[in-house]
Amino acid sequence: MTGAGHAAGEEADGVLAALADPTRRRLLDLLAARGEASATALAERLPVTRQAVVKHLSVLDEAGLVTGRRVGREVRYTVRPAALDATARWMAALAVDWDRRLAAVKRVAEAAERQDPRA
């Protein structure tokens, strides 16, 4: 891919790498359900320490999947759907491209079969 497709693919790399970890996926699920939560509140729902949650949230933040805002002494995190939406669009475009390529291979194979039915 070149141009915008390449840039979207690179952005998707960060999102997909962040989503590869089941704890981070669970954090996103919890945040999506709650709307907003602190690392302490999230750690209460997971079998990991608050420090581990903070590290996972940092990875999700770097991938553009969550954002944190300071409220008093704590940081409250929310889901940022834009990066996930962009990754889904990139994956859909990739699927369309592969479908087009596979349809072309099928047409070539069917044409060859019609020309030589023994194949």
Side-chain angles (χ1 to χ4, degrees), residues 56-72:
H56 284 298
L57 288 168
S58 176
V59 172
L60 292 170
D61 186 25
E62 288 175 24
L65 294 169
V66 301
T67 189
R69 68 178 181 90
R70 186 162 290 285
V71 178

Side-chain angles (χ1 to χ4, degrees), residues 81-105:
L84 197 53
D85 291 344
T87 301
R89 284 191 305 276
W90 173 79
M91 291 175 70
L94 189 63
V96 167
D97 189 42
W98 275 104
D99 287 345
R100 182 182 50 76
R101 291 176 188 195
L102 290 172
V105 168

